[in-house]
Amino acid sequence: MSGTNAASGAAPCRFAHYFVICGIDTETGLEPDELAALYQWLEADRQGRDPDTAAAGENFEQSPLKRTFKSKVLAHYPENVEWNPFDQDAVNMLCMPKGLSFRTQADSREPQFHSFLITREDGSRTYGFVHTFYEEVTSPQICSAMQTLYQMHQAENPSSATPSSSSSSSSSMDSLASSLDEADSPSSSSCRSAACGGYDASRDTLYVSKALCLITPMPFMHACRRFLSQVHRAVAAAAPPPLPLESYVHNILYEVPLPPPGRSLKFHGVYEPIVCQRPGPGELPLADFPLGQTFTLLGVENLVQLFNCTLLEMQILLYSQDYQRLMTVAEGITTLLFPFQWQHVYVPILPASLLHFLDAPVPYLMGLQSKEGTDRSKLELPQEANLCFVDIDNHCIELPEDFPQFPNKPELIQELSEVLLRYGISPVGGAPPTSVPTSTTTPGSVSTRHPGLKSQQALRELEDDGRNGNLGGEQLAVLDLLQGNATLERLQALAKRTGVRVEALRGVGGEGEAQGGRTAVEEEELRNAKLNVQLREVFASRFTTMFADYEAFVIQSAPDLESWLTNREQMHNFDKASFLSDQPEPYLPFLSHFIETQMFATFIDNKIMSQWEEKEPLLRVFDGRINKARLYNVRAPSLRSSNYQRCTILKESAQAIEQRLLKIDHTAIHPHLLDMKIGQGKYEQGFFPKLQSDVLSVGPTNNKWSNRTATAQRRKDRHRQQTEHLTLDNDLKEKYMQEARSLGKNLRQPKLSDLSPAVIAQTNWKFVEGLLKECRMKTKRMLVEKMGREAVELGHGEANITGLEENTLIASLCDLLERIWSHGLQVKQGKSALWSHLLHYQAREEKLEQQQQQAESPVSNGPERRKSESSIGMPSLRASVIQDMRHIQSMGAIKTDVGRARAWIRLSLEKKLLSQHLKQLLSRQALTKKLYKRYAFLRCEEEKEQFLFHLLSLNTVDYFCFTSVFTTIMIPYRAVIIPIKKLSNAMTTSNPWVCVSGELGDSGVRQITKNVLEMTFDCQNLGKLTTVQLGHDNSGLLAKWLVDCVMVRNEITGHTYKFPCGRWLGKGVDDGSLERVLIGELALPNADEDCGRGCRTPDMQHSPGQTRRSSITSMGGRGYKPTSAQIQEAIGEAVNIICKHFHKPEKERGSLTILLCGEVGLVGALEQFFHNGFKSARLFQKTVFVWDFVEKAVAYMESADQMGDMQETAEPLGLTCVSLCHYVSAINSSPRNIGKDGKFQLLVCLGARDRLLIQWLPLLVECPVIQRMYEESALLRDRTTVNALIAVLQTLHDFPITLEASLVKGIDL
């Protein structure tokens, strides 16, 4: 064990942790890949066949050269590293994701390079870099086994002159798995020997894949790639390498340190030195995967869209034939998220055995290897409602429907395009990169696209190989002497001037020198590094601008870390509403979604925790940048504007990298001879030797650097022991943190080792628990936000939800329901699993309905009719899943299944039927069993019940999420006029008409058939209804009409509005009105309807304050006389409500008409003020109205004006007088017959709109008419009260009051 400890002592600072060799185990021979068998088991289970028989048989349909066989980890050095325990299954699976593959001499045997990563439980990552090459099979047993398998294959498929392709298989997942291994020989079928895919041991040479892998703590991709390719070159070369291979492996494992932050490091491979560099503490963290390649593959526009989907935590599936491309795009896109980090499942290379993970009902970022020629349409994915599918090889992406765009997207694309063009890269995707290809070509590069160029390239590569050395020891000694030699450089300069070619020298000097003494490969790496950092800086500066003020909105509420961790779930960490209110309008749709994501929540968590412990590195860099920006800006107003700010530090960031590479800070110890046994590991060209493990399992003991890190480690250990008793126990803290950070965190990467069906079941169980938890959190959040808002309308606290936020929460609920419905699907149909289930349900129910109708003779629905008669006027709406589906299906504007499912969810939520509808849907258990596997969420009874219960809680609040979103659809409305049945006045001989208005428009005048008090009409969505204009033409004998109220119902959402009237319509009765504007409000559902809902839905939420106020100013009861104090209070309340209305965001204000003319509105309160002390009853009982007083006052003013009395009055007063007379005459001369109370209402509304009320009041008070018409004690004759009223009304001048068209129709002012 001492060796292990020695190895691990310095592990945290070592460049590489393990060197691994994977390949065929000649002792166990050819074993079919267990993972492929497991996959068959899963697939059989998915299709409902008996899984055990399906997985038992060998698969002889495929040629054995195309089948997958089990690979093994043949050796790894050292045995173990304490910091990073070796995970054999995971490494084997990711080094050779397709298992072993065989080739013959006729096939292409290009070496391949790919990378992978393993995410540990705590979210930390380990990187793997793999160089795969083909080695000749020397074992006669393996060759004869392959021969036998081939003969069996021929016997099974006698007609197979060509290798059988499985892509025609009906189940695309199946074809995926069975053919994954064909992908890396794209040209294999065209260049086979005469047998074409056959194998004959006597004639063919058999080759098998072998992988060399370096496992490192940091992603130094370029350095690892070069090291591994040099090791392979040493094996393939004719002459042995200068030192035994053990020396180079030992050197990179134990003698090469990680470069310190902000420094560069040079170490030595087999033939050339390798340089790597690490960013400094204030720079963006290390990212070595070439971003330029990601942009080249996808194009700027696609990449920005993919970046946006990643930020909004959608499901992202990358699809390519080439593993390295999958890794490059995945790492590229996550790198751009700085300062945020992807918090969910992250598997850039998804092994074939884990395909069932695509079923995961959580956000994920995964890479799937495609087979050449596989049609995307054949690839059936379990869920696509929220999926961003990235087809890398075809340079295109498929986006989910309906998501907000990243702010300033066009300007961002423009800036990125300029950076790319400076490096000669086309911003449009799909153009091959202009860069120099490195020595190891990747599949899918130029060679595979143009087979004609293959031979030329092979020649070039042979030349390269000669030029790259494969040098014998003697030449190498000369080379070492000459490298970096000043004399040599002078000679070269002289040669250049004289025009002499120094080809021979270049042959010794490795890969052709480029400028500044760097090789072409180094030049390419420098160019990549500079491009990488500049592209990343553009994205980083977007976040620095958008979140410049985020700290101001972080809520620091806990006294210490322990209490914060314990109460993490109950706490609000970030003031979202205030943050959003501070942002520019165009940013809101994106930001309101983004601040709900897990990555943003974790970022804020890290910020809060930084008060008690060291800052998380990304956060430290980000905060540093924000502080720097503040120093320069001093909170410049530009931070709040939506103007695009370009990145200003592109040049400096690239220079920092170039300087580090020009001036190497550290050079590692050269590889040297080790104390090895003589005669072992004999060199044999083309075969990787068996390395001596004893020399590779122990690090050097006399190495200065390892001693230094070991003492540093001891110091760290001591410090940790001292602080442990002061702080929370680390395990406990970690447990809290895992709990505190919600779903998906502990499933960053599926377990790659033991993949028995039991483990898969366990994983699915975790998903079920996670979905339930997410449902609980989401419904709770929706309730808290919504109730918070209603509390504000009652006057408590501050509003903390906006329409935008509400929409975001509902959209995320729709997404959650889609994920629940797509978990454990048997067979996928359409992009929306929920809508697909609803369609199955609809088909069954309609079939049952038809059968019932055929079985029973038509009977009259007696009881039904009686019920509707008993309820006043409105027949009740039946709650039905199918009926709501039909409404959605009839909406032509919605074209997709995902859109229909979302609309159906919104409609059910608005009707308070979501939980009941879903319960009804799931009550058909036979259907659920047919559609879902055993482990699906919808088949876990207890969890399903809890889930429905959480959704039921949403019935306690009111949503208008359907009405407010689908504003252009046609909606059927039903209007019922309810008369007061007094004498015979229920009927009228005149021709009545009605016009319904809402927040989105009006229905136009609709004639009602005589003596029919009910009508239905279709018109474009009116939104929330506000007013009804009701009138008649005064024709016939019984032209007078006493109406109690009008009821109007939206027949889709079931919302019913009541418009109280309680007045006459007719000449010579009441105030002589032939037309009234009635103000409506949402009616409470009656008990009848509630019984129909199957669960008593809580009533609409009303504030206690409103009911109290309505009793003060009930205009209906003329006999009721409020006290002067009550009247003044009512006016104050009415004005207060209008002020609050204007302080809300514009989109959420609702109807101003109700606040002006409704039951507790300003008009009603002022009417009470004018009625106080008014001598209304006259001789012979002819009622006098307030409007009569206004008309008499105006008549007096006009006559006084003519007599010249007004001449002496001040100029403004004269103008005011003119304006009052003008307004009154305009109202009187309007073609509408709105009656005297209607005219007074109109005057108040126009006065409030044009800010004239407070100027008119003194005129009316001063007018002598007042003494005749008002008692001495009237409020209007009390100067102090009138002045107080004027002061209160003055506050309305700050607001732009606009009046609904139904109020001011026919008035031209």
Side-chain angles (χ1 to χ4, degrees):
M1 279 310 287
S2 61
T4 313
N5 292 339
S8 63
C13 295
R14 291 201 332 227
F15 179 87
H17 287 177
Y18 294 100
F19 180 78
V20 186
I21 303 146
C22 294
I24 190 163
D25 184 348
T26 46
E27 287 171 19
T28 55
L30 281 185
E31 293 180 78
D33 193 350
E34 269 175 24
L35 296 173
L38 171 74
Y39 184 74
Q40 284 176 343
W41 188 94
L42 287 166
E43 199 50 39
D45 179 46
R46 193 169 83 85
Q47 294 170 347
R49 298 175 308 186
D50 179 11
D52 299 319
T53 55
E58 279 267 7
N59 172 15
F60 291 119
E61 284 175 28
Q62 263 186 314
S63 159
L65 286 175
K66 285 191 167 190
R67 239 179 282 162
T68 55
F69 294 95
K70 198 169 175 183
S71 66
K72 290 223 173 130
V73 172
L74 303 177
H76 65 277
Y77 311 102
E79 197 55 40
N80 200 29
V81 170
E82 190 185 324
W83 310 99
N84 184 5
F86 188 72
D87 185 342
Q88 185 143 329
D89 294 312
V91 171
N92 182 30
M93 199 184 280
L94 291 165
C95 275
M96 299 192 129
K98 303 184 301 278
L100 296 171
S101 54
F102 286 89
R103 297 274 182 274
T104 64
Q105 76 286 350
D107 298 316
S108 146
R109 297 190 307 284
E110 277 297 325
Q112 308 284 334
F113 173 82
H114 78 269
S115 341
F116 63 81
L117 64 80
I118 297 173
T119 313
R120 290 196 287 272
E121 287 281 312
D122 62 353
S124 59
R125 292 173 179 174
T126 302
Y127 291 83
F129 301 96
V130 187
H131 182 93
T132 310
F133 62 99
Y134 285 90
E135 196 173 72
E136 188 180 329
V137 178
T138 50
S139 156
Q141 292 94 324
I142 303 268
C143 293
S144 65
M146 185 55 81
Q147 176 86 56
T148 312
L149 285 171
Y150 185 67
Q151 286 163 352
M152 289 164 88
H153 162 68
Q154 274 191 313
E156 287 272 329
N157 301 11
S159 61
S160 65
T162 58
S164 66
S165 159
S166 56
S167 62
S168 58
S169 154
S170 60
S171 154
S172 58
M173 283 273 213
D174 216 347
S175 67
L176 250 173
S178 58
S179 57
L180 281 173
D181 62 316
E182 297 174 40
D184 61 6
S185 66
S187 50
S188 53
S189 52
S190 59
C191 60
R192 292 259 161 138
S193 60
C196 198
Y199 170 65
D200 181 346
S202 59
R203 184 192 62 219
D204 295 320
T205 312
L206 191 63
Y207 294 88
V208 68
S209 54
K210 182 171 261 187
L212 306 178
C213 169
L214 269 183
I215 290 179
T216 64
M218 296 187 83
F220 289 107
M221 195 270 290
H222 286 98
C224 294
R225 184 174 192 156
R226 288 181 65 189
F227 177 81
L228 291 171
S229 93
Q230 288 186 38
V231 170
H232 176 228
R233 231 164 69 208
V235 172
L243 293 169
L245 285 180
E246 283 86 345
S247 295
Y248 303 105
V249 174
H250 182 274
N251 179 253
I252 199 160
L253 284 179
Y254 300 112
E255 296 169 335
V256 176
L258 279 176
R263 299 299 177 87
S264 53
L265 168 81
K266 178 157 109 182
F267 64 94
H268 290 267
V270 185
Y271 299 115
E272 296 106 31
I274 297 167
V275 175
C276 60
Q277 53 95 29
R278 187 171 163 189
E283 296 174 62
L284 295 176
L286 175 70
D288 205 24
F289 288 84
L291 261 179
Q293 193 187 342
T294 308
F295 277 86
T296 304
L297 289 167
L298 294 177
V300 180
E301 178 113 17
N302 281 345
L303 196 120
V304 170
Q305 288 287 46
L306 170 59
F307 170 69
N308 193 4
C309 291
T310 313
L311 283 171
L312 299 176
E313 295 189 337
M314 296 176 176
Q315 292 177 323
I316 292 162
L317 185 62
L318 311 175
Y319 192 59
S320 169
Q321 285 185 57
D322 179 0
Y323 289 129
Q324 187 58 13
R325 281 186 178 186
L326 293 173
M327 190 73 185
T328 301
V329 173
E331 281 291 285
I333 209 73
T334 49
T335 298
L336 296 177
L337 299 176
F338 168 88
F340 307 102
Q341 288 167 292
W342 180 257
Q343 296 296 323
H344 299 277
V345 175
Y346 182 60
V347 191
I349 296 174
L350 188 68
S353 59
L354 287 183
L355 285 179
H356 66 281
F357 234 79
L358 293 171
D359 202 4
V362 289
Y364 58 66
L365 202 167
M366 300 204 243
L368 184 62
Q369 200 219 11
S370 64
K371 175 200 167 195
E372 197 204 8
T374 305
D375 186 3
R376 154 72 180 109
S377 59
K378 294 244 178 71
L379 179 68
E380 278 184 9
L381 299 164
Q383 47 198 3
E384 295 183 54
N386 205 35
L387 179 77
C388 173
F389 181 84
V390 185
D391 187 344
I392 298 173
D393 300 339
N394 293 316
H395 324 294
C396 62
I397 63 176
E398 292 169 28
L399 295 165
E401 290 173 31
D402 185 34
F403 61 94
Q405 292 299 319
F406 191 72
N408 299 112
K409 186 177 129 193
E411 294 92 334
L412 174 64
I413 288 174
Q414 175 65 33
E415 187 175 4
L416 291 167
S417 303
E418 287 169 20
V419 173
L420 289 167
L421 287 167
R422 283 204 289 277
Y423 287 85
I425 292 176
S426 159
V428 186
T434 53
S435 59
V436 188
T438 49
S439 53
T440 330
T441 59
T442 53
S445 64
V446 188
S447 57
T448 58
R449 286 199 196 148
H450 309 286
L453 300 174
K454 207 160 179 65
S455 50
Q456 297 170 28
Q457 189 167 346
L459 277 169
R460 266 206 312 278
E461 274 166 11
L462 280 172
E463 289 167 22
D464 270 354
D465 209 39
R467 206 170 50 236
N468 285 343
N470 294 341
L471 306 173
E474 208 175 323
Q475 283 173 301
L476 196 88
V478 177
L479 171 63
D480 264 353
L481 192 72
L482 294 179
Q483 256 176 353
N485 185 314
T487 324
L488 175 65
E489 279 167 19
R490 282 202 297 279
L491 275 171
Q492 272 186 310
L494 178 68
K496 264 185 196 153
R497 280 204 301 280
T498 53
V500 177
R501 295 182 65 198
V502 206
E503 202 58 53
L505 268 176
R506 188 182 288 176
V508 178
E511 304 170 13
E513 295 286 322
Q515 61 194 35
R518 284 195 292 272
T519 64
V521 173
E522 283 170 349
E523 201 52 52
E524 171 68 7
E525 278 176 25
L526 173 62
R527 184 175 160 283
N528 271 338
K530 284 161 71 176
L531 174 60
N532 262 18
V533 79
Q534 292 198 344
L535 290 169
R536 291 170 67 202
E537 286 292 358
V538 172
F539 284 92
S541 83
R542 296 305 313 122
F543 286 127
T544 313
T545 311
M546 282 158 68
F547 293 97
D549 280 349
Y550 85 97
E551 268 183 84
F553 304 99
V554 175
I555 301 168
Q556 309 267 18
S557 49
D560 55 63
L561 180 59
E562 193 169 347
S563 66
W564 182 78
L565 289 169
T566 326
N567 302 307
R568 165 73 191 84
E569 267 191 22
Q570 288 77 44
M571 285 188 177
H572 270 286
N573 287 346
F574 190 71
D575 184 353
K576 293 175 180 173
S578 306
F579 173 75
L580 289 174
S581 67
D582 207 33
Q583 303 309 311
E585 182 78 23
Y587 290 11
L588 293 178
F590 171 80
L591 285 174
S592 65
H593 274 71
F594 179 65
I595 61 176
E596 294 295 332
T597 58
Q598 186 65 44
M599 72 174 83
F600 186 76
T602 306
F603 173 75
I604 298 298
D605 283 356
N606 287 339
K607 178 69 185 171
I608 290 172
M609 284 166 61
S610 68
Q611 351 168 39
W612 301 295
E613 46 185 51
E614 200 182 339
K615 256 191 194 176
E616 196 268 334
L618 295 185
L619 180 68
R620 191 182 61 237
V621 177
F622 187 64
D623 281 354
R625 287 172 172 230
I626 286 178
N627 294 337
K628 196 170 167 188
R630 277 213 194 102
L631 279 177
Y632 291 128
N633 278 327
V634 198
R635 180 64 174 122
S638 63
L639 288 178
R640 200 176 271 175
S641 84
S642 61
N643 294 341
Y644 187 81
Q645 287 173 288
R646 295 175 80 93
C647 180
T648 52
I649 55 168
L650 292 182
K651 224 183 194 143
E652 297 97 295
S653 58
Q655 277 168 353
I657 283 185
E658 189 156 16
Q659 279 162 358
R660 272 200 295 273
L661 288 178
L662 282 173
K663 182 185 149 294
I664 303 296
D665 299 300
H666 303 279
T667 303
I669 300 170
H670 279 247
H672 50 85
L673 275 172
L674 301 170
D675 183 11
M676 286 167 58
K677 299 188 181 75
I678 306 289
Q680 280 191 10
K682 191 162 60 68
Y683 176 77
E684 197 178 338
Q685 186 184 356
F687 291 94
F688 194 84
K690 186 174 183 349
L691 301 179
Q692 292 187 24
S693 56
D694 49 352
V695 292
L696 292 178
S697 61
V698 188
T701 46
N702 57 352
N703 181 349
K704 279 190 315 215
W705 161 73
S706 73
N707 285 341
R708 190 173 74 237
T709 51
T711 49
Q713 189 54 45
R714 279 199 294 277
R715 212 167 36 245
K716 249 189 194 158
D717 284 345
R718 269 203 309 280
H719 178 67
R720 194 175 72 223
Q721 284 160 3
Q722 285 162 5
T723 53
E724 244 167 24
H725 69 275
L726 298 174
T727 58
L728 208 60
D729 171 33
N730 269 354
D731 294 344
L732 185 66
K733 183 178 122 183
E734 191 51 46
K735 181 171 156 281
Y736 275 139
M737 280 318 293
Q738 293 296 349
E739 288 291 311
R741 303 204 173 136
S742 95
L743 175 69
K745 193 78 171 194
N746 42 2
L747 276 170
R748 293 276 182 81
Q749 179 166 330
K751 198 88 179 104
L752 295 181
S753 46
D754 170 26
L755 272 172
S756 63
V759 169
I760 291 164
Q762 178 63 30
T763 306
N764 277 303
W765 182 244
K766 272 188 174 173
F767 284 146
V768 169
E769 286 182 322
L771 285 169
L772 185 62
K773 181 178 179 185
E774 195 179 346
C775 180
R776 187 182 77 237
M777 303 292 281
K778 279 206 162 83
T779 49
K780 180 179 168 186
R781 175 84 206 281
M782 287 169 78
L783 282 175
V784 167
E785 296 291 14
K786 196 72 172 149
M787 286 174 158
R789 179 174 170 188
E790 285 170 353
V792 171
E793 287 177 351
L794 309 182
H796 310 297
E798 282 301 310
N800 59 350
I801 186 169
T802 62
L804 192 70
E805 241 183 306
E806 180 176 305
N807 213 20
T808 304
L809 292 173
I810 291 169
S812 80
L813 177 71
C814 293
D815 163 45
L816 172 66
L817 292 180
E818 275 296 358
R819 285 190 279 125
I820 286 175
W821 253 258
S822 52
H823 181 238
L825 261 182
Q826 293 276 17
V827 179
K828 182 174 168 293
Q829 296 167 331
K831 282 199 171 184
S832 165
L834 174 58
W835 190 251
S836 165
H837 193 168
L838 282 165
L839 290 173
H840 279 288
Y841 173 82
Q842 186 181 23
R844 283 200 174 195
E845 294 299 301
E846 285 173 349
K847 196 172 164 189
L848 284 171
E849 221 171 275
Q850 281 174 351
Q851 288 167 357
Q852 280 174 352
Q853 282 169 358
Q854 288 160 6
E856 52 188 62
S857 58
V859 195
S860 68
N861 290 349
E864 189 64 41
R865 193 177 302 135
R866 269 204 305 283
K867 183 177 149 190
S868 65
E869 278 166 12
S870 67
S871 66
I872 51 161
M874 272 292 179
S876 66
L877 270 180
R878 203 162 60 88
S880 146
V881 177
I882 304 286
Q883 195 51 51
D884 287 350
M885 284 185 69
R886 287 178 186 148
H887 287 313
I888 303 299
Q889 283 161 329
S890 67
M891 289 163 60
I894 304 176
K895 306 280 189 238
T896 64
D897 285 355
V898 174
R900 289 185 194 103
R902 286 179 182 172
W904 184 86
I905 292 167
R906 284 174 176 275
L907 177 57
S908 305
L909 193 57
E910 185 164 324
K911 292 175 84 164
K912 302 192 175 190
L913 290 172
L914 183 59
S915 180
Q916 190 196 330
H917 275 355
L918 294 178
K919 189 175 186 177
Q920 182 65 35
L921 178 65
L922 296 171
S923 66
R924 301 283 181 268
Q925 289 188 342
L927 178 61
T928 313
K929 275 184 179 162
K930 179 184 151 195
L931 296 177
Y932 289 92
K933 298 175 193 167
R934 293 190 290 279
Y935 62 75
F937 182 93
L938 297 177
R939 286 185 63 184
C940 301
E941 287 306 315
E942 198 177 318
E943 282 67 27
K944 185 176 77 182
E945 284 304 314
Q946 289 184 47
F947 156 71
L948 291 171
F949 177 75
H950 289 315
L951 290 183
L952 184 62
S953 65
L954 294 176
N955 286 8
T956 53
V957 289
D958 308 322
Y959 283 103
F960 286 89
C961 50
F962 179 84
T963 310
S964 59
V965 168
F966 300 101
T967 52
T968 57
I969 60 170
M970 296 302 284
I971 287 185
Y973 290 93
R974 180 187 293 266
V976 178
I977 294 152
I978 299 168
I980 295 175
K981 293 176 179 160
K982 217 186 230 176
L983 309 170
S984 60
N985 296 120
M987 296 301 168
T988 174
T989 53
S990 54
N991 299 301
W993 56 268
V994 69
C995 173
V996 182
S997 302
E999 290 176 355
L1000 300 174
D1002 67 55
S1003 64
V1005 171
R1006 306 269 173 170
Q1007 293 296 334
I1008 303 175
T1009 319
K1010 256 187 222 175
N1011 297 329
V1012 175
L1013 300 175
E1014 187 175 323
M1015 69 179 296
T1016 52
F1017 58 90
D1018 287 358
C1019 78
Q1020 190 168 316
N1021 185 357
L1022 301 174
K1024 289 184 190 171
L1025 302 187
T1026 50
T1027 62
V1028 160
Q1029 295 161 64
L1030 178 69
H1032 63 77
D1033 62 357
N1034 204 37
S1035 61
L1037 294 170
L1038 292 171
K1040 299 178 179 116
W1041 198 20
L1042 183 57
V1043 177
D1044 177 45
C1045 66
V1046 177
M1047 307 285 284
V1048 181
R1049 180 170 69 202
N1050 176 326
E1051 293 290 272
I1052 291 183
T1053 65
H1055 285 312
T1056 306
Y1057 294 82
K1058 184 178 183 180
F1059 298 86
C1061 176
R1063 308 281 295 266
W1064 286 90
L1065 282 95
K1067 284 284 180 205
V1069 63
D1070 204 335
D1071 65 346
S1073 174
L1074 289 183
E1075 153 187 352
R1076 292 195 185 280
V1077 179
L1078 309 178
I1079 311 299
E1081 58 177 36
L1082 207 49
L1084 304 179
N1086 59 27
D1088 257 9
E1089 264 179 78
D1090 273 336
C1091 300
R1093 295 188 181 205
C1095 59
R1096 177 84 174 89
T1097 305
D1099 293 338
M1100 299 293 295
Q1101 302 300 301
H1102 266 290
S1103 71
Q1106 283 181 330
T1107 47
R1108 178 172 56 78
R1109 289 199 297 273
S1110 64
S1111 63
I1112 292 172
T1113 61
S1114 268
M1115 289 289 88
R1118 284 263 184 266
Y1120 173 70
K1121 287 261 173 35
T1123 65
S1124 55
Q1126 285 175 323
I1127 291 171
Q1128 285 170 285
E1129 188 191 346
I1131 291 174
E1133 283 283 9
V1135 171
N1136 200 7
I1137 291 174
I1138 293 172
C1139 295
K1140 279 185 181 174
H1141 168 88
F1142 283 103
H1143 280 111
K1144 286 184 190 173
E1146 200 171 334
K1147 288 174 184 163
E1148 293 139 41
R1149 286 179 183 168
S1151 167
L1152 183 60
T1153 309
I1154 293 174
L1155 305 187
L1156 287 169
C1157 310
E1159 214 171 343
V1160 293
L1162 181 66
V1163 172
L1166 283 175
E1167 205 171 301
Q1168 284 285 29
F1169 188 90
F1170 275 86
H1171 265 284
N1172 183 272
F1174 185 58
K1175 302 173 184 173
S1176 57
R1178 290 285 182 277
L1179 208 57
F1180 309 119
Q1181 274 70 47
K1182 183 177 184 258
T1183 313
V1184 182
F1185 292 86
V1186 173
W1187 184 251
D1188 293 322
F1189 162 63
V1190 173
E1191 282 186 320
K1192 285 198 167 89
V1194 165
Y1196 168 79
M1197 287 173 207
E1198 282 172 339
S1199 63
D1201 193 20
Q1202 284 159 10
M1203 287 163 61
D1205 286 5
M1206 288 294 198
Q1207 300 303 318
E1208 297 99 64
T1209 58
E1211 187 61 33
L1213 203 58
L1215 286 175
T1216 308
C1217 206
V1218 171
S1219 74
L1220 178 59
C1221 300
H1222 175 53
Y1223 274 68
V1224 170
S1225 76
I1227 290 169
N1228 274 329
S1229 58
S1230 127
R1232 296 169 70 183
N1233 295 304
I1234 51 175
K1236 292 179 177 176
D1237 280 349
K1239 288 174 179 175
F1240 179 74
Q1241 173 173 294
L1242 191 51
L1243 183 69
V1244 172
C1245 290
L1246 291 168
R1249 182 190 73 183
D1250 300 337
R1251 299 172 185 165
L1252 294 168
L1253 272 183
I1254 60 169
Q1255 296 171 22
W1256 292 343
L1257 268 173
L1259 288 176
L1260 294 171
V1261 171
E1262 295 297 327
C1263 181
V1265 179
I1266 196 169
Q1267 290 155 11
R1268 286 206 308 278
M1269 301 187 76
Y1270 279 88
E1271 292 159 9
E1272 189 73 39
S1273 61
L1275 285 174
L1276 201 58
R1277 292 180 68 175
D1278 178 357
R1279 282 296 164 87
T1280 321
T1281 313
V1282 171
N1283 288 341
L1285 173 64
I1286 288 172
V1288 169
L1289 293 175
Q1290 175 87 45
T1291 55
L1292 294 180
H1293 285 201
D1294 300 339
F1295 308 114
I1297 291 176
T1298 49
L1299 300 178
E1300 206 174 295
S1302 61
L1303 291 177
V1304 294
K1305 200 187 278 179
I1307 305 287
D1308 187 24
L1309 280 169

